[in-house]
Amino acid sequence: MRQSLVYALTLVQLASAGPVLRPRDTVTAQVNFNNNTGTPEHLASGLLYGVPDTLNQIPSHFYENIGYNYERAGGAQVAAPGRGWIWGLTEYKNRFKSALSNYQTAREYDATFIFLIHDLWGADGTQNSSAPYPGDNGDWSSWDEYLTQLFSDMKSNDMTTSLVVDIWNEPDGSGFWNREQDQYLQMWGRTYYKFREEFGTAVELSGPASAGEPLASNSWWGAWASFVSSNNSIPDQYAWHMESGTGDLLSAQAGLDYWRGTYGLPAKLININEYAVYDEQVPAGSAWWISQLERINARGLRGNWLSGTDLHDYLASLLGKSGSTTYYPNGDYQVYRYYYQNMTGYRVGTLPSSDLKLDAYATVGSDYARVLVGVRVDTGTWELELNSLSSLGLPTSGTLNVHTWGFPVGSDVHYGEVDEPKDLGWYEHAYSGNTVTFPVYQTDEVTAYAFEFIV
Ligand SMILES: *[C@@H]1O[C@H](CO)[C@@H](O)[C@H](O)[C@H]1NC(C)=O
Ligand SMILES: *[C@@H]1O[C@H](CO)[C@@H](O)[C@H](O)[C@H]1NC(C)=O
Ligand SMILES: *[C@@H]1O[C@H](CO)[C@@H](O)[C@H](O)[C@H]1NC(C)=O
Ligand SMILES: *[C@@H]1O[C@H](CO)[C@@H](O)[C@H](O)[C@H]1NC(C)=O
């Protein structure tokens, strides 16, 4: 129902005067075809959890067709007797088993694995208010013992290839670190050096994986940056989360640059190892996040808003299921598939609309130029401007024939089945001045669009 309505509306809009929608922005989103920004690596195709603990439960084509390349897990929310180290060795071992199986799945697809050792400890967000934390009352013995056990299990299970360790998850919020920041920083320095001593630089270290962005106004971030600078415990990846439904990556990157400048920290890979709120995990929101991440060359892992065993399933809400193990793709999945399979060649620079609502990711292949656009879960009309067409060998004026694909959701926003995007046909746009501009009619909050033309 929803699909056919979107389809019908969009065809009408493409063909004639648009519907009554508020124009949202006088400044358009832009694609600059003269700005080659390198080979696509589908940087946003990572997942937080989403992988079943039973190997091969999800058929391999679901991983392969989206170019799955990053995984982040550590046995969170495995029920008793699997609640982690703070409940004893047996409960730790069961959590480790879950993490190891997810690691093995990641290896099967050549995906890098981010190991969540706070989950294995037992601070997965479900811990009770008397749960112990590393270094309580100045006593580090349990944490040291835990790390000794962990190192031994990592080595005996060959869990050291393509491995990144997040030193702690969201230490700036009481859900995962219900202690002062100073105790966390002591834990950071201690743990950083223990890992380096054991594994050298073969195992990468990452952090602070904060809930907050590294904005210049974020004093928690300032204290972290100051500590890792003076303690010389700078991670291999700067990680934080974008899960508030606000904020954008150009601002966050500028904030990181501010703290790096203040404390003399080097540039490192940025990994937004949890991105998008649940409402944004729809085709439009995903296309928006893909554009944001690709622009600053950051890795991105989809956040996960499920819990319990569902947390370890559905590829972080890219799949639905009928029965216990028969999987099907959703609308969001089709965006990641197109992003990976079709957006090949080289990337070009883009800019979001000035209200930061419409964003675009674009590639130029040997046959087609492709522009994927998404609005950050809103409705309205925005403009898309494609610049420097002559750099693709096209004339500076004439008519551009544009093919449109729609990426709708199914009968259920998150778990309705969608097997392919909708072909919305071709439409001719007259242009001059080496630039073509046309409207994007966002009549619902969920559909993403791709525009293609022959080069
Ligand atoms: C709270 O969790 C700890 C483990 O972190 C456990 O030892 C303790 O028994 C739990 N307390 C209650 C009241 O469940
Ligand atoms: C880094 O911090 C840890 C924890 O406080 C400390 O044990 C270690 O000596 C510090 N290392 C350096 C080089 O400052
Ligand atoms: C994307 O590429 C795949 C693999 O080449 C192809 O089967 C599919 O039809 C393409 N999809 C679109 C929307 O062009
Ligand atoms: C090219 O695009 C990148 C990524 O969006 C941007 O950082 C850079 O400033 C752009 N270069 C030019 C010359 O516009």
Side-chain angles (χ1 to χ4, degrees):
M1 190 59 198
R2 179 189 272 273
Q3 282 186 47
S4 56
L5 182 66
V6 169
Y7 185 50
L9 278 174
T10 313
L11 276 185
V12 169
Q13 293 146 28
L14 286 169
S16 64
V20 186
L21 278 171
R22 277 170 298 164
R24 299 303 289 264
D25 199 345
T26 51
V27 178
T28 59
Q30 292 176 31
V31 178
N32 295 311
F33 283 111
N34 60 351
N35 183 10
N36 180 335
T37 57
T39 306
E41 292 177 68
H42 48 101
L43 301 173
S45 303
L47 307 178
L48 170 64
Y49 284 96
V51 173
D53 293 350
T54 302
L55 290 174
N56 305 312
Q57 182 174 310
I58 295 179
S60 54
H61 66 89
F62 285 114
Y63 296 92
E64 286 161 2
N65 291 345
I66 56 166
Y68 164 71
N69 58 21
Y70 245 95
E71 177 59 42
R72 185 168 180 261
Q77 300 192 19
V78 171
R83 293 169 295 182
W85 178 263
I86 59 178
W87 290 88
L89 190 61
T90 304
E91 300 230 15
Y92 155 85
K93 283 196 177 294
N94 287 334
R95 211 160 257 213
F96 184 85
K97 213 175 285 174
S98 161
L100 177 62
S101 130
N102 287 177
Y103 172 74
Q104 287 164 344
T105 298
R107 292 311 306 135
E108 196 175 330
Y109 301 103
D110 243 332
T112 302
F113 187 81
I114 303 177
F115 197 8
L116 293 175
I117 64 172
H118 75 286
D119 278 338
L120 205 50
W121 166 264
D124 63 349
T126 68
Q127 74 277 20
N128 67 39
S129 59
S130 51
Y133 287 81
D136 277 352
N137 307 309
D139 180 358
W140 294 93
S141 57
S142 183
W143 181 247
D144 289 348
E145 221 182 297
Y146 163 71
L147 290 180
T148 303
Q149 178 73 44
L150 179 65
F151 293 167
S152 147
D153 290 335
M154 285 168 64
K155 285 180 163 170
S156 58
N157 289 285
D158 289 327
M159 201 178 173
T160 54
T161 305
S162 296
L163 192 82
V164 180
V165 171
D166 241 350
I167 291 183
W168 202 270
N169 179 64
E170 300 193 353
D172 55 339
S174 60
F176 295 91
W177 184 266
N178 198 10
R179 294 292 185 270
E180 294 301 310
Q181 185 177 13
D182 184 60
Q183 187 175 330
Y184 159 72
L185 295 174
Q186 298 312 310
M187 186 278 296
W188 174 282
R190 191 176 190 90
T191 309
Y192 179 97
Y193 281 101
K194 279 184 180 287
F195 266 96
R196 285 287 197 248
E197 217 168 278
E198 193 74 29
F199 301 105
T201 51
V203 166
E204 286 192 44
L205 298 172
S206 148
S210 55
E213 301 166 40
L215 302 177
S217 56
N218 185 341
S219 58
W220 188 98
W221 248 87
W224 179 83
S226 166
F227 179 83
V228 303
S229 173
S230 65
N231 189 243
N232 197 21
S233 48
I234 300 150
D236 303 298
Q237 302 189 357
Y238 294 123
W240 70 88
H241 298 163
M242 297 293 292
E243 293 200 308
S244 66
T246 61
D248 73 284
L249 282 174
L250 282 177
S251 309
Q253 184 189 39
L256 176 67
D257 288 348
Y258 169 80
W259 290 118
R260 281 185 40 224
T262 305
Y263 294 109
L265 300 172
K268 300 278 179 182
L269 176 77
I270 293 174
N271 197 327
I272 306 302
N273 61 29
E274 295 187 21
Y275 73 84
V277 294
Y278 199 37
D279 282 353
E280 292 170 338
Q281 292 192 328
V282 292
S286 294
W288 189 88
W289 278 109
I290 286 169
S291 310
Q292 289 272 312
L293 289 158
E294 292 283 348
R295 176 172 299 113
I296 67 160
N297 292 313
R299 287 278 171 184
L301 281 65
R302 279 170 66 85
N304 198 319
W305 300 93
L306 303 178
S307 51
T309 45
D310 288 350
L311 175 67
H312 299 232
D313 205 348
Y314 304 104
L315 301 186
S317 300
L318 285 177
L319 303 180
K321 203 156 72 159
S322 53
S324 59
T325 53
T326 306
Y327 291 93
Y328 56 79
N330 66 10
D332 217 0
Y333 184 91
Q334 301 307 328
V335 171
Y336 286 85
R337 190 170 75 145
Y338 182 82
Y339 170 48
Y340 171 59
Q341 293 190 333
N342 306 90
M343 300 194 75
T344 54
Y346 62 90
R347 302 181 305 169
V348 292
T350 68
L351 285 173
S353 60
S354 64
D355 64 356
L356 299 175
K357 291 281 191 184
L358 175 68
D359 212 342
Y361 170 62
T363 54
V364 179
S366 53
D367 48 355
Y368 283 94
R370 295 183 169 89
V371 184
L372 175 68
V373 301
V375 167
R376 195 177 191 179
V377 289
D378 207 344
T379 59
T381 303
W382 285 263
E383 301 277 313
L384 181 66
E385 189 180 293
L386 311 182
N387 296 321
S388 307
L389 294 170
S390 62
S391 59
L392 303 174
L394 298 169
T396 57
S397 66
T399 304
L400 192 69
N401 205 5
V402 175
H403 189 193
T404 303
W405 293 96
F407 293 81
V409 298
S411 54
D412 178 273
V413 173
H414 292 292
Y415 302 104
E417 179 169 358
V418 179
D419 294 308
E420 51 194 10
K422 293 261 180 210
D423 187 342
L424 300 177
W426 292 80
Y427 189 76
E428 286 189 350
H429 296 278
Y431 72 94
S432 61
N434 214 10
T435 291
V436 63
T437 302
F438 54 86
V440 176
Y441 298 117
Q442 192 70 34
T443 56
D444 64 58
E445 297 190 337
V446 294
T447 305
Y449 296 95
F451 303 107
E452 303 180 336
F453 56 92
I454 294 169
V455 292

